[in-house]
Amino acid sequence: MVDITHKVTTLREATAEAIVKTSGQATIEAIQNNEVPKGNVFEMAKAAGLLGVKKTPDLLPDCHPLPIEYTGIDYEIDGLDIIISMTVKTIYKTGVEVEAMHGASVVALTMYDMLKPIDKNVEIGTIRLKSKKGGKSSFNINSEGLTAEVVVCSDTISKGQGEDRAGETIIKKLNALGVESQKSIIPDEAVEIIKKVENTTADLLIFTGGTGVGPRDVTPQTLEPLLDIKLKGVEEQMRSYGQERMPLAMFSRSIAGIKDGKLILALPGSTKGAAESMDAIFPHVLHAFKVIEGKRHD
């Protein structure tokens, strides 16, 4: 299966449509009057559709098992066509498009099976995804024109005695989002951190390192007094995401805030910690720039 462990959990919704085509008005009337020999077509097909949604990962090899938290099935009769609408919702890391389409397919097949004794020309028409929402594409995060500076805070690396991996990981993730970025390295000194905040010309300033509880970890207490606004929700998201993957993430003192219209972040110095913090909040954290400009939330 595709690895989705790096994704964040959001409300996912998908609606699929299937069409059953009958060949005569007599078939439609038999359904409406509950005169189909095999039973109530709408109710039987609905029950089958619910099972179809739940059984999707059992039949499709690469489909992740996930909690189905809502399934809605609606019918519309349009002439000799029966239009099936299947909506599925979950709060999870991946979407429910396949579940919705599979459920709609099972509803259509059930109808076909129940109607074929009275309508030899019944057939299944289009099965398609009508809509989906809840993934990254739903939030329309625009990173065009944004610049970033990544600052590695490390006594060892600044002396040339170690290799930076966390900063490079952050740069790679920023580049993938289309954010132009550059990197610098400084020791774990408050005065150097302050200089970076005062002198950067980038829209986004990301520090990596110095967020633990060691005697030289000074990044959070240096940055906090400088911020105009603290983004506590962003900080909570980073720690919550990390804690789900590593029990020691609770010791991280990651920081997020705004200073003079610039977004400032302080992430862990470990490569994995930095990568997970980026996964936890990007690209959604870039919405801050829209709010800074005075625009409303969507």
Side-chain angles (χ1 to χ4, degrees), residues 195-214:
K195 284 181 182 178
K196 283 296 180 183
V197 174
E198 293 176 343
N199 298 327
T200 188
T201 59
D203 302 303
L204 174 60
L205 183 60
I206 304 179
F207 293 88
T208 175
T211 61
V213 294

Side-chain angles (χ1 to χ4, degrees), residues 17-30:
E17 180 182 271
I19 299 176
V20 173
K21 296 178 175 292
T22 67
S23 65
Q25 185 61 33
T27 304
I28 297 297
E29 291 177 358

Side-chain angles (χ1 to χ4, degrees), residues 52-211:
V53 169
K54 296 175 183 178
K55 291 291 186 180
T56 302
D58 292 344
L59 299 174
L60 302 181
D62 195 41
C63 194
H64 292 84
L66 48 77
I68 301 299
E69 297 175 280
Y70 171 80
T71 299
I73 302 171
D74 294 308
Y75 303 110
E76 177 187 350
I77 296 176
D78 181 15
L80 299 181
D81 294 346
I82 303 169
I83 302 172
I84 302 156
S85 180
M86 168 76 75
T87 298
V88 180
K89 296 181 183 181
T90 187
I91 299 178
Y92 200 61
K93 303 172 188 176
T94 189
V96 285
E97 303 96 308
V98 175
E99 284 78 6
M101 293 183 71
H102 183 234
S105 301
V106 172
V107 172
L109 283 168
T110 302
M111 285 189 173
Y112 178 91
D113 178 66
M114 296 184 73
L115 294 175
K116 65 182 181 180
I118 64 170
D119 188 341
K120 299 301 181 183
N121 295 312
V122 64
E123 62 180 54
I124 296 173
T126 302
I127 298 171
R128 68 185 183 98
L129 179 68
K130 287 184 65 179
S131 64
K132 68 169 184 173
K133 60 183 179 180
K136 286 183 180 180
S137 60
S138 298
F139 296 98
N140 193 29
I141 305 297
N142 183 13
S143 61
E144 184 178 356
L146 293 178
T147 59
E149 181 176 359
V150 178
V151 182
V152 179
C153 298
S154 170
D155 292 333
T156 303
I157 296 174
S158 66
K159 293 175 182 178
Q161 299 172 354
E163 180 184 355
D164 167 54
R165 290 190 177 92
E168 289 299 316
T169 297
I170 295 171
I171 291 281
K172 184 177 180 180
K173 288 183 177 290
L174 289 172
N175 289 343
L177 294 170
V179 179
E180 183 180 342
S181 54
Q182 60 181 1
K183 186 183 77 170
S184 57
I185 301 172
I186 62 173
D188 288 308
E189 296 288 352
V191 65
E192 297 293 334
I193 295 170
I194 293 171
K195 284 181 182 178
K196 283 296 180 183
V197 174
E198 293 176 343
N199 298 327
T200 188
T201 59
D203 302 303
L204 174 60
L205 183 60
I206 304 179
F207 293 88
T208 175
T211 61

